[in-house]
């Protein structure tokens, strides 16, 4: 997640430069055919292109609204996880006298957070974090989950037997919550907590499982493919046809000028056509990079930073002074 004042225009141009190169080629060819080769018949009526541009603007706007909602939903989910985690920490501290048991419960919770964020960083075929333009931008930041394997990240939190027990499972986060549920049931059976305390802790575990389910649903459900493809088709059609629709419009400008530019006004089509097309392709690229909020791109929910902040807060609740270092932004980007 970018937390600076704004992206620099140079960053945006760098991020979209491959599409700019493509647009330059697409917009130069009609000029050559029309002006240099005399193929005047290739010009299209402007009304046709304008209608297509209007429809494209609607579909691009719709996609960007929906993809923003997906990212916003991701922020809400992780805000809930943060609040539930702190509540869990306070309950563990206040309900149990056995400090070692409290430490086991909280370390297992940190392991759950770790397993969950690692699962959210797994690649899906529809995600674009590793697409050329996004992968190239990752030179500005590093994704922690790609630096060390999950088993190594879990070592500080889990004993060897628990780590071995969940190592073969597909959904490690769910198994860790199951262990939490089993542990507080055993504590209740041993009369370490009263029924109301047990119910409250079990309710928190269930709520954490619900938030995990929301994360997994958002991760495993892409933006509807039928809308994604129609968005790509409309943008591509508009960008291809735009210079053909502007040929006569810019050619007629020769009737309104005199001097050295007379007869050459049509060449102004190139910069203006590229700028207009770039606006559409950039909006489409922004929407595409926003639709999957956990994949690790520069605009995603900073789940690594959130998990570290949760751990720091809970350790402070317990009165610990040796705290892990917070995850700081890298070139204004939090991951």
């Amino acid at each position: 997640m970018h937390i600076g004042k704004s992206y620099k225009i140079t960053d945006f141009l760098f991020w979209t430069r491959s599409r700019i190169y493509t647009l330059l080629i697409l917009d130069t060819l009609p000029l050559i055919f029309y002006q240099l080769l005399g193929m005047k018949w290739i010009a299209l009526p402007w009304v046709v292109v304008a209608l297509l541009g209007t429809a494209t603007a609607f579909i691009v706007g719709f996609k960007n609204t929906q993809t923003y909602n997906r990212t916003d939903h991701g922020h809400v989910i992780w805000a809930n996880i943060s609040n539930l985690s702190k509540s869990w920490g306070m309950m563990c501290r206040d309900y149990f006298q056995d400090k070692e048991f409290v430490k086991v419960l909280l370390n297992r919770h940190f392991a759950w957070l770790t397993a969950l964020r690692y699962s959210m960083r797994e690649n899906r075929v529809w995600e674009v974090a590793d697409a050329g333009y996004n992968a190239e931008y990752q030179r500005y930041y590093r994704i922690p989950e790609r630096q060390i394997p999950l088993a190594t990240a879990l070592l500080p939190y889990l004993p060897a037997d628990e780590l071995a027990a969940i190592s073969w499972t597909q959904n490690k986060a769910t198994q860790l919550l199951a262990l939490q549920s089993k542990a507080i049931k055993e504590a209740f059976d041993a009369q370490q907590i009263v029924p109301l305390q047990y119910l409250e802790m079990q309710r928190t575990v269930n709520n954490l499982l619900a938030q995990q389910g929301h994360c997994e649903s958002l991760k495993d459900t892409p933006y509807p493919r039928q809308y994604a493809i129609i968005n790509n088709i409309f943008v591509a059609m508009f960008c291809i046809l735009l210079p053909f629709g502007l040929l006569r419009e810019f050619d007629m400008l020769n009737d309104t000028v005199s001097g050295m530019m007379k007869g050459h006004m049509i060449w102004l089509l190139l910069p203006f056509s590229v700028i207009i097309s770039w606006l559409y392709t950039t909006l489409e690229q922004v929407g595409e990079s926003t639709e999957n909020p956990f994949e690790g791109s520069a605009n995603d929910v900073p789940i690594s930073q959130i998990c570290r902040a949760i751990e720091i807060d809970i350790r402070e609740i317990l009165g610990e002074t040796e705290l892990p270092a917070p995850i700081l932004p890298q070139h204004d980007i939090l991951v």
Side-chain angles (χ1 to χ4, degrees):
M1 180 178 70
H2 195 284
I3 61 169
K5 184 176 180 180
S6 66
Y7 280 103
K8 297 178 182 177
I9 185 63
T10 52
D11 290 341
F12 236 73
L13 291 173
F14 176 81
W15 185 52
T16 60
R17 73 184 190 282
S18 62
R19 300 197 180 194
I20 294 175
Y21 299 153
T22 302
L23 292 173
L24 282 170
I25 295 172
L26 289 176
D27 293 349
T28 300
L29 290 177
L31 276 172
I32 293 174
F33 294 147
Y34 183 89
Q35 186 70 3
L36 300 183
L37 301 182
M39 300 170 62
K40 306 296 184 180
W41 55 268
I42 66 171
L44 295 176
W46 169 243
V47 174
V48 173
V49 180
L51 289 174
L52 178 59
T54 302
T56 303
F58 278 115
I59 199 72
V60 170
F62 175 79
K63 178 181 180 180
N64 280 23
T65 299
Q66 299 307 311
T67 55
Y68 172 80
N69 288 339
R70 286 170 62 87
T71 297
D72 185 59
H73 187 201
H75 281 287
V76 171
I77 293 170
W78 278 89
N80 291 336
I81 289 175
S82 178
N83 293 334
L84 289 167
S85 297
K86 294 167 191 176
S87 296
W88 177 258
M90 288 185 283
M91 282 188 288
C92 291
R93 180 197 64 181
D94 297 339
Y95 291 174
F96 297 101
Q97 300 300 317
D98 186 346
K99 301 301 181 184
E100 286 302 314
F101 184 63
V102 171
K103 186 176 180 180
V104 169
L105 288 177
L106 293 182
N107 277 337
R108 192 181 290 129
H109 184 73
F110 299 147
W112 173 76
L113 289 170
T114 302
L116 181 59
R117 64 182 171 88
Y118 267 79
S119 68
M120 292 299 102
R121 296 300 197 199
E122 292 174 359
N123 186 51
R124 299 290 186 271
V125 67
W126 56 80
E127 293 180 341
V128 294
D130 292 325
Y133 50 86
N134 283 329
E136 199 173 42
Y137 198 78
Q138 288 177 22
R139 67 177 185 169
Y140 293 115
Y141 65 97
R142 293 291 181 269
I143 302 171
E145 292 75 20
R146 295 189 178 184
Q147 306 306 307
I148 58 174
L150 173 58
T152 303
L154 290 174
L155 278 175
Y157 306 122
L158 295 177
D161 59 332
E162 287 190 7
L163 187 57
I166 69 167
S167 62
W168 60 272
T169 60
Q170 293 186 2
N171 194 324
K172 295 176 177 57
T174 298
Q175 298 305 317
L176 288 166
L177 285 181
L179 289 173
Q180 293 285 58
S181 179
K182 180 181 178 181
I184 60 174
K185 178 61 168 60
E186 291 173 349
F188 173 66
D189 291 341
Q191 297 185 346
Q192 297 180 35
I193 51 177
V194 300
L196 286 177
Q197 292 173 330
Y198 169 68
L199 290 174
E200 185 64 25
M201 295 193 78
Q202 190 62 56
R203 186 180 298 113
T204 301
V205 171
N206 292 339
N207 286 335
L208 289 169
L209 185 60
Q211 296 305 319
Q212 176 186 324
H214 291 317
C215 281
E216 292 168 346
S217 176
L218 196 54
K219 175 72 177 179
D220 295 329
T221 307
Y223 178 75
R225 299 294 85 191
Q226 66 273 27
Y227 289 112
I229 188 61
I230 198 67
N231 184 84
N232 294 337
I233 292 172
F234 272 44
V235 170
M237 288 177 58
F238 176 73
C239 292
I240 291 171
L241 296 180
L242 177 63
F244 291 94
L246 292 176
L247 285 169
R248 286 202 184 99
E249 303 298 320
F250 276 84
D251 198 11
M252 287 189 296
L253 292 177
N254 290 311
D255 298 333
T256 64
V257 299
S258 58
M260 61 178 296
M261 287 302 298
K262 190 171 182 63
H264 302 289
M265 291 296 291
I266 194 171
W267 294 102
L268 292 177
L269 178 149
L270 182 59
F272 286 102
S273 182
V274 169
I275 290 172
I276 296 170
S277 298
W278 178 77
L279 293 177
Y280 280 80
T281 58
T282 301
L283 281 172
E284 192 270 335
Q285 189 167 319
V286 166
E288 186 179 57
S289 67
T290 307
E291 70 181 68
N292 304 300
F294 305 135
E295 61 182 336
S297 70
N299 303 304
D300 284 355
V301 180
I303 58 178
S304 303
Q305 183 270 338
I306 292 172
C307 289
R308 181 63 58 82
I310 291 171
E311 182 176 353
I312 292 172
D313 286 343
I314 292 177
R315 292 188 183 280
E316 286 182 334
I317 287 173
L318 297 178
E320 296 183 15
T321 55
E322 294 185 6
L323 305 173
I327 294 180
L328 301 176
Q330 308 165 58
H331 293 90
D332 291 330
I333 295 172
L334 274 177
V335 293

